[in-house]
Amino acid sequence: MVALVSTVAYLGLEARAVEVQCQIAPGLAAFRLVGLPDKAVGESRERVHAALAALGLSLPPKRITVNLSPADLPKEGSHYDLPIALALLAAMGVVDRETIGDYVAVGELALDGRVISSPGVLLAALHAGSQDKGLICPAEQGSEASWASGIDVVAAPHLLGLLNHLRGQQRLPDPVPGEAEPPARLADLRQVKGQEVARRALEIAAAGGHNLLMVGPPGAGKSLLASCLPGILPDLTPAEALETSMVASVAGLLEDGRISRARPFRSPHHSASMAALTGGGLRVRPGEVSLAHLGVLFLDELPEFQRAVLDSLRQPLESGEITVARANAHVTFPARVQLVAAMNPCRCGHLGDPALGCSRAPRCAADYQSKVSGPLLDRIDLHVEVDPVSAADLSLPPPSEGSAEVAARVAAVRRVQTERLEGTGRRNNAELDGDLLDRFATPDDGGRKLLAQAAEVMRLSARSYTRILRVARTIADMAGADQTGRPHVAEALSYRRIAPRA
C-alpha cells in the first residue's frame, strides 16, 4: 500500500497542496525521490535517513519510492523533510496512516531527529485550516502557526516526541499565539525644526497614502522626515497585520511568532540589486517592495540606484503587486507600498546655494536628476523642496506639535476614507481610480477650471492628472470639506514635479 501525507508548496503567498506518496516494494534496496524536487528537497533522503537512525530505526532493504504530487509542480525548500519522514514511517507501519491523514506537515529535520524551523509556516497553517486539517510544524514556530485560529497545531521539538504524540504515548503541549509587538517609533516630528512645507507634505502623504519625493541639499533633514512617517501612520488593522505577517513568514523573518501592528518601514541601500528590491533569486523570495507591503519603502539617494532597478518599481507602484517571472513558474507577491524618496538637487548637492555654488550648474542638476526616469517620477504624487535649515532655526526650541498630534489628525482623515470606501476594496485616496475617482474626487467648477488650465500649461499626463485629483481629495478631507474645491486643487498642483533650479 501507499502511505499518504499532506504538505504544501509555496508560490508567492499561495500555499499549493502537495501529497507525499510513499511506497515500499520488493526489489533491490533503493530510496528514490521523484516529483520535480530541487537540490534541497533531493537532499532530504540523507537527512531523513539520519534522523530515523537517530531514533534507532533502519530503512527496510527494499525499493522505497517517494513521489511528491502533483509531479509537474516544482518543489523547493527543506520543509519537505518532515512529511517525507512521516510518509515513510506510515508505510513502515510505525504510525497510523489515518491519523497522519488528518494533518498537513511542514518542517526540516536535523541529523539527530530534531524538527527545525522553516519559512512559510503561517501560510501552511492557513492552508490547513481551509482544508479542515491540523498542522504539524516545528516547536519553534508553533506560536506562529497558532495565529491561524481554529486548527489543531502539533508543535514538535523532536521526531521521537512527535511519534509518541501521534501514537498516544505522550502529549505535546499546545502552542499559544505569539505576542503582538507594540509599534516602534523611529523618530518624532518634534525633532524637525523649520521645514513647514515639508511637514505639511508629509502629513498629506500620511493622510492619503500618497507617494512622496523630497529634493534638497545634504543635511536638510530629508532622512529625518522620512523616518518620522511611520510614527504618524495609523496602526495596521488585524487583517492587514496578517497580510504583512504572511510576507514576513515566507521570507523567514517572523521571530517567535510575534506579529506587529506597526506598518513596515524598509530602507534598502542604493546598491541593492533588482532581485533584492523586487524579489527573486534561485529560490524566489519577496524583495524589499513586498516586505514593505502596507507600509513605507524609503529610497534615499534616489538617483544613485541603478536605473533598471528603479524602473522595475513602476509596475508595482501602479498595481500594488509584483510578479516574478521564471521559466517554470510565475510568483506574485503583494506590494501595496507608500514610496518615499529623497535626492539631492545635483551630484554635489549645493545647486542654488550662492555660498557653495555648483561649478557645473545647471548641467549638473540635469544630468543627475535625469538618472530617474520620467515615468517613475510621474508615479510620485507629491514633490517637495526641502531647503537647508539655518543655524537660527536650529537654535529654536522644538516645535510644539509632535508626531502624536499629527497622527491623531491623520487617523481621523483615514477613518473618513475607510467609511467612504467601505465595500469597494480600496483603503485610502491613493487607491482611487475609475468610477470611484469620478464619484469622490471630482472638484467643483472652480477646481475643474483651474485643473484644466494647469493641465494645458504644465502638460500634465493622464496619470499626473489622476494623482492631482487624489491628492486634492486628501487635502479636502483634511479640511473637512465634502467636495474638492479650487484651494485644494491649487495646493495639490503646487506639489508636482520640481524643475532643476539654475
Side-chain angles (χ1 to χ4, degrees), residues 186-249:
L186 301 179
D188 194 284
L189 279 172
R190 291 187 191 278
Q191 300 172 247
V192 180
K193 297 184 178 181
Q195 308 297 7
E196 296 303 323
V197 174
R199 285 171 61 106
R200 170 69 174 175
L202 193 72
E203 184 174 346
I204 294 172
H210 304 290
N211 300 327
L212 171 66
L213 171 66
M214 294 178 284
V215 182
K222 303 184 295 294
S223 298
L224 176 59
L225 284 162
S227 64
C228 290
L229 182 56
I232 63 176
L233 290 172
D235 292 342
L236 295 168
T237 65
E240 290 174 336
L242 185 61
E243 277 189 60
T244 59
S245 297
M246 289 168 65
V247 179
S249 177

Side-chain angles (χ1 to χ4, degrees), residues 283-325:
R283 292 177 54 195
V284 180
R285 287 289 180 265
E288 294 290 334
V289 70
S290 295
L291 294 173
H293 178 56
L294 299 181
V296 178
L297 177 66
F298 176 47
L299 302 183
D300 200 5
E301 306 295 345
L302 187 66
E304 300 297 339
F305 284 82
Q306 299 177 41
R307 181 160 184 164
V309 172
L310 288 180
D311 285 344
S312 67
L313 294 176
R314 285 154 56 175
Q315 181 256 341
L317 286 178
E318 202 71 25
S319 65
E321 61 182 23
I322 180 77
T323 300
V324 181

Side-chain angles (χ1 to χ4, degrees), residues 355-366:
L356 300 169
C358 177
S359 60
R360 294 184 58 245
R363 184 64 181 270
C364 178

Side-chain angles (χ1 to χ4, degrees), residues 20-37:
V20 180
Q21 307 164 353
C22 181
Q23 181 187 61
I24 300 178
L28 189 64
F31 187 173
R32 298 188 61 194
L33 183 62
V34 297
L36 277 186

Side-chain angles (χ1 to χ4, degrees), residues 140-431:
E140 296 176 359
Q141 296 176 295
S143 56
E144 176 183 337
S146 297
W147 284 106
S149 59
I151 70 169
D152 178 22
V153 177
V154 178
H158 195 278
L159 186 57
L160 179 60
L162 174 60
L163 294 181
N164 291 335
H165 177 87
L166 295 174
R167 296 162 68 177
Q169 299 173 348
Q170 177 186 349
R171 175 69 181 177
L172 292 175
D174 294 329
V176 295
E179 297 180 357
E181 293 182 340
R185 306 304 182 190
L186 301 179
D188 194 284
L189 279 172
R190 291 187 191 278
Q191 300 172 247
V192 180
K193 297 184 178 181
Q195 308 297 7
E196 296 303 323
V197 174
R199 285 171 61 106
R200 170 69 174 175
L202 193 72
E203 184 174 346
I204 294 172
H210 304 290
N211 300 327
L212 171 66
L213 171 66
M214 294 178 284
V215 182
K222 303 184 295 294
S223 298
L224 176 59
L225 284 162
S227 64
C228 290
L229 182 56
I232 63 176
L233 290 172
D235 292 342
L236 295 168
T237 65
E240 290 174 336
L242 185 61
E243 277 189 60
T244 59
S245 297
M246 289 168 65
V247 179
S249 177
V250 171
L253 299 179
L254 275 188
E255 297 181 359
D256 300 325
R258 293 195 298 268
I259 288 181
S260 176
R261 294 286 299 275
R263 294 189 180 271
F265 181 85
R266 306 291 299 187
S267 180
H269 191 260
H270 58 73
S271 62
S273 65
M274 186 178 299
L277 200 62
T278 62
L282 183 62
R283 292 177 54 195
V284 180
R285 287 289 180 265
E288 294 290 334
V289 70
S290 295
L291 294 173
H293 178 56
L294 299 181
V296 178
L297 177 66
F298 176 47
L299 302 183
D300 200 5
E301 306 295 345
L302 187 66
E304 300 297 339
F305 284 82
Q306 299 177 41
R307 181 160 184 164
V309 172
L310 288 180
D311 285 344
S312 67
L313 294 176
R314 285 154 56 175
Q315 181 256 341
L317 286 178
E318 202 71 25
S319 65
E321 61 182 23
I322 180 77
T323 300
V324 181
R326 290 291 182 270
N328 55 4
H330 284 60
V331 180
T332 300
F333 294 107
R336 181 66 66 184
V337 300
Q338 188 172 352
L339 175 65
V340 177
M343 60 186 289
N344 297 328
C346 64
R347 179 167 290 282
C348 68
H350 300 292
L351 183 72
D353 190 331
L356 300 169
C358 177
S359 60
R360 294 184 58 245
R363 184 64 181 270
C364 178
D367 291 347
Y368 188 67
Q369 295 191 22
S370 65
K371 293 183 178 181
V372 184
S373 69
L376 178 62
L377 289 173
D378 210 26
R379 286 166 167 80
I380 300 179
D381 308 46
L382 301 164
H383 301 241
V384 62
E385 286 194 10
V386 182
D387 294 322
V389 182
S390 65
D393 287 335
L394 292 174
S395 64
L396 294 174
S400 58
E401 191 175 69
S403 293
E405 293 80 6
V406 177
R409 292 200 298 267
V410 169
V413 175
R414 285 288 186 109
R415 284 194 294 270
V416 171
Q417 296 172 36
T418 300
E419 294 173 1
R420 178 193 297 142
L421 299 174
E422 185 176 3
T424 64
R426 305 293 190 272
R427 294 181 174 92
N428 50 50
N429 288 336
E431 299 178 21

